[in-house]
Amino acid sequence: MAVYNFSAGPAMLPKEVMEQAQSEFCDFQNTGSGLMELSHRGPQFSQVIEETESDIRELMNISDDYAVCFVQGGASMQFSMIPMNLMLPGGFAEYADTGTWSAKAIKEGKGFGDVKVIASSKETNYDRIPVIRHWKPEAGSSYLHITSNNTVAGTQYHSFPETDAPMIADMSSDIMSRVIDVNKFGMIYAGAQKNLGPSGLALVIIRKDLAERTPANVPTMLKYGTYIETQSMFNTPPTFGVYLLGLVAKWLKSKGGIVGIEEINDVKSEALYELIDNSTFYRSPVDPSSRSKMNVVFRLPSEDMEAQFIADAAKEGLKSLKGHRSVGGIRASIYNAMPMKGVEALVDFMNEFARKNG
Ligand SMILES: *Cc1c(COP(=O)(O)O)cnc(C)c1O
């Protein structure tokens, strides 16, 4: 039986990537050693990290004004590194509050300056992306922080605010899933374990001039400048994570790049939302203006039925459909690596379950 893993993260990786990593695991390029056993300064890993960076630059059309960095500590470390490095002295930063992850970013920001929450959808239970009224940032704003896709609530920005302050986006759960203009952002970051590779690694794309703001007393390992100056090789980088991210980037290129994967992602998410909207059994708690193409959340008529749905689906090989513990319900995470066949299997199961129980 085919197994489809709908986990929100760590999430499934492309099967082709897993198989290639397996085939090279013990003997990388006829060296007789696995890549994780080789020096990070040797020719093999040097080539891996250089190609990974150049493939990411090509996929996302990143200009030389930006650095591409590989940083440990996941996306959560960035919640702290951002204000530590980029909050102007005695200054303030603006944040949009769209749920769980943005709340964590806001909390860490408060340690380093004044945090102004300029938009929030808390009152409606984070069921939508709030309108950011403050299109023109208040003079002196260090940056505007947003969470482009809200993994827990199942919401996503379908357009981005225009702002003069550098816009910083946590794209952990939708990076490289759709075409975006990197030049609109001061910084983009993502924990790898949703769309890019294994957990622990964060991809950071930062406009180089912003890194010059960093106060001198920030520890070396927490300075963006350190990663920029050393090509992320100040210390031993997470070599296996970078390697897998590189394989994912090559896989994306083989799928027609981000334009190609975006088309597939549109078809996948539309199939699920269409079923939900045409059903009297399933219900979406998310405002249609803000529905995520990565994390499709929905409800059934009762919590008992939801528990039954999750258990029956797992028996059919459709795994990890339980919603986040803070909100309940069902969540189907359909990142880049989820094949159309997996979504089709879920659609068939949902139709059958509604017919039997509706
Ligand atoms: C998963 C996730 C995070 C946390 O990532 P870690 O790598 O575990 O720190 C942060 N932001 C968003 C939007 C996420 O989906």
Side-chain angles (χ1 to χ4, degrees), residues 263-281:
E263 279 171 22
I264 300 171
N265 287 335
D266 284 348
V267 176
K268 279 163 27 186
S269 54
E270 273 160 27
L272 288 172
Y273 286 120
E274 195 181 287
L275 187 164
I276 292 164
D277 285 342
N278 290 331
S279 162
T280 50
F281 187 74

Side-chain angles (χ1 to χ4, degrees), residues 5 36 42 68 79 103 153 168 214 219-220 232 249 254 277 285 317 322 340:
N5 172 9
M36 76 180 98
V68 174
F79 297 162
I168 299 180
T214 306
T220 308
S232 306
S254 79
D277 285 342
K322 198 171 168 31
M340 190 63 215

Side-chain angles (χ1 to χ4, degrees), residues 80-87 210-215 218 222-225:
S80 302
M81 276 179 76
I82 290 162
M84 248 184 193
N85 283 268
L86 304 180
M87 186 79 78
L210 288 176
E212 286 163 21
R213 285 186 185 178
T214 306
V218 171
L222 299 177
K223 276 188 175 131
Y224 290 121

Side-chain angles (χ1 to χ4, degrees), residues 281-354:
F281 187 74
Y282 299 105
R283 174 176 67 79
S284 167
V286 180
D287 191 84
S289 67
S290 308
R291 288 177 177 172
S292 169
K293 294 181 179 179
M294 296 281 101
N295 310 98
V296 179
V297 303
F298 55 94
R299 307 295 314 227
L300 271 63
S302 72
E303 286 184 16
D304 284 348
M305 223 172 255
E306 287 170 348
Q308 187 67 44
F309 178 95
I310 291 159
D312 287 4
K315 281 186 214 142
E316 300 288 322
L318 307 171
K319 305 263 175 107
S320 297
L321 283 161
K322 198 171 168 31
H324 190 265
R325 59 188 187 279
S326 65
V327 292
I330 314 290
R331 171 173 55 177
S333 295
I334 49 170
Y335 302 119
N336 288 349
M338 174 59 68
M340 190 63 215
K341 273 203 161 80
V343 173
E344 284 165 359
L346 178 59
V347 164
D348 288 347
F349 173 79
M350 285 172 71
N351 281 325
E352 181 67 12
F353 190 88

Side-chain angles (χ1 to χ4, degrees), residues 19 56 103 163 249 317 338:
E19 285 170 354
I56 290 168
T163 166
M338 174 59 68

Side-chain angles (χ1 to χ4, degrees), residues 74-76 79 101 147 149 151 170 172-173 191 193-194:
S76 298
F79 297 162
W101 293 113
T147 311
N149 183 76
T151 324
D170 176 358
S172 293
S173 51
Q193 68 273 26
K194 279 80 183 222

Side-chain angles (χ1 to χ4, degrees), residues 190-257:
Q193 68 273 26
K194 279 80 183 222
N195 249 340
L196 300 177
S199 63
L201 175 66
L203 175 65
V204 172
I205 300 160
I206 181 169
R207 224 175 63 208
K208 289 173 188 162
D209 63 301
L210 288 176
E212 286 163 21
R213 285 186 185 178
T214 306
N217 63 352
V218 171
T220 308
M221 279 291 287
L222 299 177
K223 276 188 175 131
Y224 290 121
T226 303
Y227 293 83
I228 297 173
E229 284 153 26
T230 64
Q231 278 83 43
S232 306
M233 296 270 271
F234 172 75
N235 74 330
T236 318
T239 54
F240 199 70
V242 172
Y243 158 71
L244 275 180
L245 169 48
L247 292 185
V248 169
K250 289 206 188 304
W251 175 82
L252 269 175
K253 282 169 70 175
S254 79
K255 294 278 166 189

